[in-house]
Short mmCIF file of all heavy atoms in Angstrom, two decimals:
data_model
loop_
_atom_site.label_atom_id
_atom_site.label_comp_id
_atom_site.label_asym_id
_atom_site.label_seq_id
_atom_site.Cartn_x
_atom_site.Cartn_y
_atom_site.Cartn_z
N GLY A 1 31.19 28.69 -25.43
CA GLY A 1 32.57 28.29 -25.57
C GLY A 1 33.20 27.85 -24.27
O GLY A 1 32.66 28.05 -23.19
N TRP A 2 34.34 27.21 -24.43
CA TRP A 2 35.18 26.82 -23.30
C TRP A 2 36.50 27.56 -23.39
O TRP A 2 37.12 27.62 -24.47
CB TRP A 2 35.42 25.32 -23.29
CG TRP A 2 34.24 24.51 -22.87
CD1 TRP A 2 33.33 23.92 -23.70
CD2 TRP A 2 33.85 24.21 -21.55
NE1 TRP A 2 32.39 23.26 -22.97
CE2 TRP A 2 32.67 23.42 -21.63
CE3 TRP A 2 34.35 24.52 -20.29
CZ2 TRP A 2 32.01 22.94 -20.50
CZ3 TRP A 2 33.70 24.05 -19.17
CH2 TRP A 2 32.53 23.27 -19.28
N TYR A 3 36.91 28.13 -22.29
CA TYR A 3 38.19 28.81 -22.17
C TYR A 3 38.96 28.17 -21.03
O TYR A 3 38.40 27.49 -20.18
CB TYR A 3 37.98 30.29 -21.88
CG TYR A 3 37.36 31.06 -23.03
CD1 TYR A 3 36.03 30.90 -23.37
CD2 TYR A 3 38.12 31.97 -23.78
CE1 TYR A 3 35.46 31.60 -24.43
CE2 TYR A 3 37.55 32.67 -24.83
CZ TYR A 3 36.22 32.48 -25.14
OH TYR A 3 35.66 33.18 -26.19
N ARG A 4 40.26 28.39 -21.03
CA ARG A 4 41.06 27.86 -19.93
C ARG A 4 42.14 28.86 -19.54
O ARG A 4 42.57 29.67 -20.35
CB ARG A 4 41.70 26.50 -20.28
CG ARG A 4 42.74 26.57 -21.38
CD ARG A 4 43.19 25.16 -21.74
NE ARG A 4 44.22 25.15 -22.77
CZ ARG A 4 44.68 24.08 -23.36
NH1 ARG A 4 44.21 22.87 -23.03
NH2 ARG A 4 45.64 24.15 -24.28
N GLN A 5 42.56 28.77 -18.31
CA GLN A 5 43.60 29.65 -17.82
C GLN A 5 44.52 28.87 -16.89
O GLN A 5 44.08 28.32 -15.87
CB GLN A 5 43.00 30.83 -17.07
CG GLN A 5 44.03 31.88 -16.67
CD GLN A 5 43.39 33.16 -16.18
OE1 GLN A 5 42.24 33.18 -15.74
NE2 GLN A 5 44.12 34.26 -16.30
N ALA A 6 45.77 28.80 -17.29
CA ALA A 6 46.79 28.15 -16.48
C ALA A 6 47.43 29.20 -15.59
O ALA A 6 47.42 30.39 -15.90
CB ALA A 6 47.83 27.48 -17.37
N PRO A 7 48.05 28.79 -14.47
CA PRO A 7 48.70 29.74 -13.57
C PRO A 7 49.73 30.59 -14.30
O PRO A 7 50.58 30.06 -15.02
CB PRO A 7 49.36 28.83 -12.53
CG PRO A 7 48.51 27.60 -12.51
CD PRO A 7 48.10 27.40 -13.95
N GLY A 8 49.64 31.90 -14.12
CA GLY A 8 50.59 32.80 -14.73
C GLY A 8 50.35 33.08 -16.20
O GLY A 8 51.15 33.80 -16.81
N LYS A 9 49.29 32.54 -16.77
CA LYS A 9 49.00 32.74 -18.18
C LYS A 9 47.64 33.40 -18.37
O LYS A 9 46.80 33.40 -17.48
CB LYS A 9 49.06 31.42 -18.93
CG LYS A 9 50.45 30.79 -18.98
CD LYS A 9 50.47 29.59 -19.89
CE LYS A 9 51.86 29.00 -20.02
NZ LYS A 9 51.90 27.85 -20.94
N GLU A 10 47.46 33.95 -19.55
CA GLU A 10 46.20 34.58 -19.89
C GLU A 10 45.15 33.53 -20.23
O GLU A 10 45.49 32.42 -20.65
CB GLU A 10 46.36 35.54 -21.06
CG GLU A 10 47.24 36.74 -20.78
CD GLU A 10 47.30 37.69 -21.95
OE1 GLU A 10 46.85 37.33 -23.05
OE2 GLU A 10 47.81 38.81 -21.77
N ARG A 11 43.91 33.89 -20.04
CA ARG A 11 42.83 33.01 -20.41
C ARG A 11 42.78 32.89 -21.93
O ARG A 11 42.90 33.88 -22.65
CB ARG A 11 41.51 33.54 -19.88
CG ARG A 11 40.34 32.60 -20.06
CD ARG A 11 39.09 33.11 -19.35
NE ARG A 11 39.31 33.23 -17.91
CZ ARG A 11 38.35 33.55 -17.03
NH1 ARG A 11 37.10 33.74 -17.46
NH2 ARG A 11 38.64 33.64 -15.76
N GLU A 12 42.63 31.66 -22.41
CA GLU A 12 42.62 31.42 -23.84
C GLU A 12 41.42 30.60 -24.27
O GLU A 12 40.88 29.82 -23.48
CB GLU A 12 43.91 30.69 -24.27
CG GLU A 12 44.05 29.31 -23.69
CD GLU A 12 45.25 28.55 -24.21
OE1 GLU A 12 45.92 29.07 -25.12
OE2 GLU A 12 45.54 27.44 -23.69
N LEU A 13 41.03 30.81 -25.50
CA LEU A 13 39.90 30.06 -26.06
C LEU A 13 40.34 28.62 -26.31
O LEU A 13 41.39 28.37 -26.90
CB LEU A 13 39.44 30.70 -27.37
CG LEU A 13 38.41 29.89 -28.17
CD1 LEU A 13 37.07 29.87 -27.44
CD2 LEU A 13 38.24 30.49 -29.56
N VAL A 14 39.53 27.70 -25.90
CA VAL A 14 39.75 26.28 -26.18
C VAL A 14 38.90 25.85 -27.36
O VAL A 14 39.41 25.30 -28.34
CB VAL A 14 39.44 25.40 -24.96
CG1 VAL A 14 39.59 23.93 -25.31
CG2 VAL A 14 40.32 25.79 -23.77
N ALA A 15 37.62 26.11 -27.28
CA ALA A 15 36.71 25.74 -28.36
C ALA A 15 35.43 26.55 -28.20
O ALA A 15 35.05 26.94 -27.09
CB ALA A 15 36.39 24.24 -28.35
N SER A 16 34.78 26.80 -29.31
CA SER A 16 33.51 27.52 -29.30
C SER A 16 32.52 26.84 -30.24
O SER A 16 32.92 26.10 -31.14
CB SER A 16 33.70 28.99 -29.68
OG SER A 16 34.18 29.10 -31.02
N ILE A 17 31.26 27.13 -30.04
CA ILE A 17 30.23 26.54 -30.86
C ILE A 17 29.06 27.50 -30.98
O ILE A 17 28.63 28.12 -30.00
CB ILE A 17 29.76 25.17 -30.30
CG1 ILE A 17 28.75 24.50 -31.21
CG2 ILE A 17 29.24 25.33 -28.88
CD1 ILE A 17 28.49 23.05 -30.85
N THR A 18 28.55 27.67 -32.19
CA THR A 18 27.41 28.52 -32.41
C THR A 18 26.13 27.79 -32.09
O THR A 18 26.11 26.56 -31.87
CB THR A 18 27.36 29.02 -33.86
OG1 THR A 18 27.02 27.93 -34.73
CG2 THR A 18 28.70 29.63 -34.29
N ARG A 19 25.03 28.52 -32.08
CA ARG A 19 23.75 27.89 -31.81
C ARG A 19 23.40 26.86 -32.88
O ARG A 19 22.72 25.86 -32.62
CB ARG A 19 22.66 28.95 -31.75
CG ARG A 19 21.29 28.39 -31.39
CD ARG A 19 20.28 29.50 -31.16
NE ARG A 19 18.98 28.93 -30.86
CZ ARG A 19 18.59 28.52 -29.66
NH1 ARG A 19 19.42 28.63 -28.62
NH2 ARG A 19 17.39 28.01 -29.47
N ASP A 20 23.90 27.11 -34.11
CA ASP A 20 23.64 26.20 -35.21
C ASP A 20 24.60 25.01 -35.25
O ASP A 20 24.45 24.13 -36.09
CB ASP A 20 23.70 26.94 -36.54
CG ASP A 20 22.62 27.97 -36.68
OD1 ASP A 20 21.52 27.77 -36.10
OD2 ASP A 20 22.84 28.99 -37.38
N GLY A 21 25.60 25.00 -34.36
CA GLY A 21 26.49 23.87 -34.28
C GLY A 21 27.82 24.03 -34.95
O GLY A 21 28.62 23.06 -34.96
N ALA A 22 28.13 25.18 -35.50
CA ALA A 22 29.44 25.41 -36.09
C ALA A 22 30.47 25.53 -34.98
O ALA A 22 30.27 26.25 -34.01
CB ALA A 22 29.43 26.66 -36.97
N THR A 23 31.61 24.85 -35.16
CA THR A 23 32.60 24.80 -34.10
C THR A 23 33.93 25.41 -34.54
O THR A 23 34.25 25.49 -35.73
CB THR A 23 32.85 23.37 -33.63
OG1 THR A 23 33.35 22.59 -34.73
CG2 THR A 23 31.57 22.74 -33.13
N ASN A 24 34.67 25.83 -33.55
CA ASN A 24 36.02 26.33 -33.75
C ASN A 24 36.84 25.92 -32.53
O ASN A 24 36.32 25.92 -31.41
CB ASN A 24 36.03 27.85 -33.90
CG ASN A 24 37.41 28.39 -34.23
OD1 ASN A 24 38.10 27.91 -35.10
ND2 ASN A 24 37.82 29.45 -33.50
N SER A 25 38.07 25.57 -32.74
CA SER A 25 38.89 25.15 -31.62
C SER A 25 40.32 25.63 -31.80
O SER A 25 40.77 25.91 -32.90
CB SER A 25 38.89 23.61 -31.47
OG SER A 25 39.40 22.99 -32.63
N ALA A 26 41.02 25.72 -30.68
CA ALA A 26 42.41 26.12 -30.71
C ALA A 26 43.24 25.04 -31.38
O ALA A 26 42.92 23.85 -31.28
CB ALA A 26 42.91 26.37 -29.29
N VAL A 27 44.30 25.45 -32.03
CA VAL A 27 45.19 24.50 -32.69
C VAL A 27 45.73 23.49 -31.72
O VAL A 27 45.87 22.30 -32.05
CB VAL A 27 46.34 25.25 -33.40
CG1 VAL A 27 47.35 24.27 -33.97
CG2 VAL A 27 45.79 26.13 -34.50
N SER A 28 46.01 23.91 -30.51
CA SER A 28 46.62 23.05 -29.51
C SER A 28 45.72 21.89 -29.09
O SER A 28 46.21 20.89 -28.55
CB SER A 28 47.03 23.86 -28.28
OG SER A 28 45.90 24.49 -27.68
N VAL A 29 44.42 22.01 -29.32
CA VAL A 29 43.49 20.95 -28.90
C VAL A 29 42.77 20.32 -30.07
O VAL A 29 42.01 19.34 -29.87
CB VAL A 29 42.46 21.48 -27.88
CG1 VAL A 29 43.15 22.15 -26.72
CG2 VAL A 29 41.46 22.42 -28.54
N LYS A 30 42.99 20.81 -31.26
CA LYS A 30 42.31 20.29 -32.42
C LYS A 30 42.60 18.80 -32.60
O LYS A 30 43.75 18.36 -32.59
CB LYS A 30 42.71 21.06 -33.67
CG LYS A 30 41.78 20.87 -34.85
CD LYS A 30 42.20 21.78 -36.02
CE LYS A 30 42.04 23.25 -35.67
NZ LYS A 30 40.63 23.64 -35.49
N GLY A 31 41.54 18.04 -32.79
CA GLY A 31 41.68 16.62 -32.95
C GLY A 31 41.65 15.85 -31.64
O GLY A 31 41.49 14.63 -31.66
N ARG A 32 41.79 16.55 -30.53
CA ARG A 32 41.76 15.90 -29.22
C ARG A 32 40.52 16.24 -28.43
O ARG A 32 40.01 15.42 -27.67
CB ARG A 32 43.01 16.29 -28.41
CG ARG A 32 44.32 15.88 -29.04
CD ARG A 32 45.50 16.09 -28.08
NE ARG A 32 45.66 17.50 -27.70
CZ ARG A 32 45.57 17.94 -26.46
NH1 ARG A 32 45.32 17.09 -25.46
NH2 ARG A 32 45.75 19.23 -26.20
N PHE A 33 40.05 17.46 -28.57
CA PHE A 33 38.88 17.92 -27.85
C PHE A 33 37.71 18.08 -28.81
O PHE A 33 37.89 18.42 -29.98
CB PHE A 33 39.13 19.28 -27.19
CG PHE A 33 40.12 19.28 -26.07
CD1 PHE A 33 40.89 18.15 -25.79
CD2 PHE A 33 40.31 20.41 -25.30
CE1 PHE A 33 41.81 18.16 -24.76
CE2 PHE A 33 41.21 20.43 -24.27
CZ PHE A 33 41.99 19.31 -24.01
#
């Protein structure tokens, strides 16, 4: 997975992927990443 952390904020999940290719992404990046 990919996570991100902005200054002063907690680290958050951006997107993840299983070994089989199933993906999940944050609402904030869905459709863009």
Side-chain angles (χ1 to χ4, degrees):
W2 287 96
Y3 293 72
R4 67 186 182 187
Q5 187 168 24
K9 295 187 176 182
E10 295 183 348
R11 187 172 300 186
E12 64 175 353
L13 172 69
V14 177
S16 63
I17 184 168
T18 70
R19 184 173 178 83
D20 295 331
T23 61
N24 185 48
S25 62
V27 173
S28 60
V29 306
K30 197 176 295 293
R32 299 190 298 119
F33 293 7

